[in-house]
Amino acid sequence: MNGFLAILLKEFAHIRRDRGTIFFAFIVPALQLTIFGFAINVTIENIPLVVFDLDGRQESRRLVEALVASRTFKVAQRVQNADAFRRAVTSGRCKAGILIPADYSENLLNRRQAQVQVLVDGSDSQVATTAMNTVQLAAMTLAIGRARVIGESLQTVPARDESGNVALPIEARTRVLFNPDLESSHFFVPGLVAIVLQLVLVFLTSFSIVRERELGTLEQLFVTPVGRAGLLFGKLVPYAVMAVGELFLVLALMVGLFGVPIHGSLPLLVLLSGLFIITALGLGLLISTLARTQLQAMQISFLVMLPSVLLSGFMFPRAEMPLPLYLVGFILPVTFFIEILRGVILRAADFIDLVPHILGLTACCVVILALSLTRFRKQLD
């Protein structure tokens, strides 16, 4: 650790004079969290709907109102002929269309089954699935309501509730835990904290060391009396200090801007975040030993970030991935940190609940640091 303090002060002085590093460490993460936090939203609402209503009576209007009331659809166009109805969907102006036949109300009044045609644009599978599920649910709700009214006048009905009213034979009472309003930001923003932290720390660390190698100052440090550990930790500790400040910044934005409360223990969250910060710094150091220029460091960093975003469970559920890709996720430290963040922030998970993820993150930390230190020492030799 000879020379540790000298290198530490040198790095802090360098960071203080480098406005770009300070901007990248604090302003960029805040902008990323804000922009992506608002941009990433899997709640599908206001799907443009074209209505071709040949009935035009109260019952047909009630069906359209039920679809709009679900907030999944908005009526974007009403047409008067079949050609305009189909063209509204094929042109892409509307993602779904409903055709209500002229005998719709008459069939209902005469207790015959009434049918409607629904066209759904399948080019976007997620929107199409949501549209089909909403239409089926709205139709079922209206059908059950009419059946209940008719059942009230009958002597025998399938079942009655505690008040003696006509009811379905089976009732499933669902309660949503941790995110009762099903806000997509509550799911994505904690994961986004992990992605932003890794992105900034990996870039800062790898660029710092590679930049010094390009300028020749790293070789100058090699011939000084500074010890290997002193050189290494002297360069990494300032970035670890900045990372802690960055962590509190993005957590404050998460709570204040997106309204995602931290239900679990904040000290536990900070402690485990410290483990991830060390891992991310080690990953940046490892990249710096592989890259000779800042361009190469950027390319390798993006090569690491792409699987971190796609295979870590940040955007897509890992359980649905093919087995090889599912297994690749276990070598990514951000996979375990995302589960830790969501566990502490959303589910108030404690240390015991998080043991598997903590062990996985610890293993990643040990392996990455061992590889980084080994390659860095070889360069020092």
Side-chain angles (χ1 to χ4, degrees):
M1 293 295 289
N2 291 338
F4 166 73
L5 184 60
I7 297 296
L8 182 68
L9 296 176
K10 166 193 169 298
E11 282 300 309
F12 273 122
H14 172 74
I15 292 173
R16 180 173 55 84
R17 291 193 297 266
D18 189 353
R19 300 285 181 87
T21 298
I22 296 176
F23 178 84
F24 189 77
F26 292 101
I27 306 300
V28 170
L31 290 176
Q32 287 178 327
L33 189 69
T34 302
I35 294 173
F36 290 122
F38 282 115
I40 299 175
N41 188 353
V42 296
T43 303
I44 298 176
E45 295 181 343
N46 297 321
I47 299 174
L49 176 72
V50 56
V51 177
F52 184 18
D53 187 359
L54 294 173
D55 184 274
R57 285 175 279 185
Q58 181 179 359
E59 293 297 337
S60 64
R61 292 196 299 270
R62 186 174 297 168
L63 175 60
V64 176
E65 290 170 358
L67 294 175
V68 175
S70 68
R71 299 200 310 179
T72 301
F73 293 101
K74 66 173 181 180
V75 177
Q77 189 175 352
R78 293 180 182 270
V79 297
Q80 302 299 325
N81 59 77
D83 182 65
F85 174 66
R86 183 172 293 275
R87 189 172 296 277
V89 178
T90 57
S91 66
R93 294 192 303 271
C94 298
K95 296 298 182 182
I98 182 169
L99 190 159
I100 305 175
D103 58 353
Y104 175 79
S105 296
E106 182 181 350
N107 287 333
L108 290 178
L109 293 174
N110 293 322
R111 298 187 182 181
R112 293 194 299 264
Q113 186 182 53
Q115 298 177 341
V116 297
Q117 183 184 29
V118 179
L119 300 182
V120 178
D121 180 0
S123 57
D124 188 330
S125 59
Q126 192 171 8
V127 172
T129 301
T130 302
M132 289 189 296
N133 292 339
T134 303
V135 169
Q136 293 294 335
L137 181 60
M140 183 179 295
T141 301
L142 290 176
I144 291 174
R146 293 190 62 86
R148 179 177 287 111
V149 172
I150 297 173
E152 293 286 354
S153 62
L154 301 178
Q155 295 294 328
T156 303
V157 295
R160 295 186 182 273
D161 58 18
E162 297 88 344
S163 304
N165 299 320
V166 176
L168 295 175
I170 299 174
E171 179 186 15
R173 297 185 178 182
T174 305
R175 179 187 176 192
V176 179
L177 301 177
F178 313 125
N179 186 14
D181 296 329
L182 298 179
E183 296 284 346
S184 60
S185 61
H186 284 54
F187 176 77
F188 275 108
V189 173
L192 190 58
V193 169
I195 296 296
V196 168
L197 276 176
Q198 175 174 295
L199 175 66
V200 174
L201 292 180
V202 168
F203 269 68
L204 281 177
T205 310
S206 61
F207 276 35
S208 171
I209 297 176
V210 172
R211 182 170 60 246
E212 289 215 40
R213 182 182 292 115
E214 285 184 333
L215 296 175
T217 55
L218 192 62
E219 285 74 10
Q220 294 175 12
L221 291 175
F222 290 167
V223 299
T224 63
V226 177
R228 294 176 178 178
L231 174 61
L232 181 62
F233 288 106
K235 292 188 70 62
L236 294 185
V237 167
Y239 294 105
V241 173
M242 294 177 64
V244 173
E246 181 187 332
L247 171 67
F248 283 107
L249 173 64
V250 292
L251 289 179
L253 286 173
M254 180 189 72
V255 175
L257 187 60
F258 296 101
V260 182
I262 300 175
H263 292 97
S265 169
L266 182 60
L268 177 64
L269 180 61
V270 173
L271 177 64
L272 297 179
S273 298
L275 178 61
F276 178 73
I277 287 172
I278 296 172
T279 307
L281 291 174
L283 186 58
L285 178 62
L286 179 60
I287 292 174
S288 72
T289 65
L290 300 173
R292 294 297 175 182
T293 64
Q294 294 187 61
L295 178 59
Q296 290 180 354
M298 178 181 295
Q299 293 171 337
I300 298 174
S301 298
F302 276 116
L303 187 64
V304 172
M305 286 304 302
L306 188 60
S308 295
V309 172
L310 299 179
L311 304 180
S312 63
F314 165 61
M315 296 187 66
F316 311 107
R318 295 184 62 242
E320 304 300 324
M321 296 179 184
L323 182 59
L325 297 181
Y326 176 79
L327 295 177
V328 169
F330 285 115
I331 67 176
L332 302 173
V334 73
T335 299
F336 304 102
F337 188 51
I338 287 176
E339 292 298 327
I340 289 172
L341 284 172
R342 288 173 177 165
V344 176
I345 293 173
L346 300 180
R347 303 191 301 271
D350 58 18
F351 186 88
I352 302 299
D353 298 325
L354 301 173
V355 165
H357 308 301
I358 295 173
L359 292 178
L361 182 57
T362 303
C364 290
C365 181
V366 171
V367 171
I368 289 174
L369 285 180
L371 291 174
S372 303
L373 295 176
T374 300
R375 290 191 56 85
F376 197 70
R377 284 171 181 164
K378 287 181 180 178
Q379 289 186 347
L380 286 173
D381 290 336

